[in-house]
Amino acid sequence: MILPWPFGHRFVQMFSTAHSHRSLGENDLGADGGQAVAEALKTNTSLTTLNLEGNKLCADGGQALAEALKTNKSLTMLCLGSNQLDAAAARALAEALKTNSSLTTLELGDNEVGADGGQTLAE
């Protein structure tokens, strides 16, 4: 995957260093940024806490992160509050949680997952 500026090599490299915590909250990453973070998470083995609050990730960014959670085994806490995530993103996250055994905290406050998305996550 070729990532557009500003989500190129340097952005992905930020996730390949041995840090356990990253806070990228309120950076207006958008869906493209969410997809770039997701790509980096697929191979990251050291990050345990990631804050992406307030980045307007929308459904596409949320679904990309859900795909990454299917393979990422190090992340234990993921903050996705205030990202305009919808029920489709919630369903994708719920599906990912079926196979991800490392994530213990998923923060989704102030999103648009609705009752259906919330129910799917609760199951």
Side-chain angles (χ1 to χ4, degrees), residues 21-105:
H21 298 77
R22 288 280 183 204
S23 182
L24 297 174
E26 304 295 334
N27 276 295
D28 203 20
L29 296 177
D32 287 341
Q35 291 170 350
V37 170
E39 283 300 310
L41 284 177
K42 288 179 181 178
T43 57
N44 182 283
T45 58
S46 61
L47 195 64
T48 60
T49 301
L50 179 58
N51 175 15
L52 293 173
E53 277 188 303
N55 275 300
K56 301 176 187 167
L57 300 177
C58 301
D60 289 344
Q63 290 174 5
L65 288 166
E67 276 302 307
L69 289 176
K70 291 179 180 178
T71 57
N72 181 284
K73 303 299 180 211
S74 64
L75 207 60
T76 60
M77 181 177 197
L78 179 59
C79 299
L80 294 175
S82 302
N83 272 298
Q84 303 170 352
L85 301 181
D86 62 6
R91 284 191 295 275
L93 288 164
E95 188 65 32
L97 292 175
K98 291 178 182 177
T99 58
N100 182 301
S101 60
S102 63
L103 195 70
T104 59
T105 304

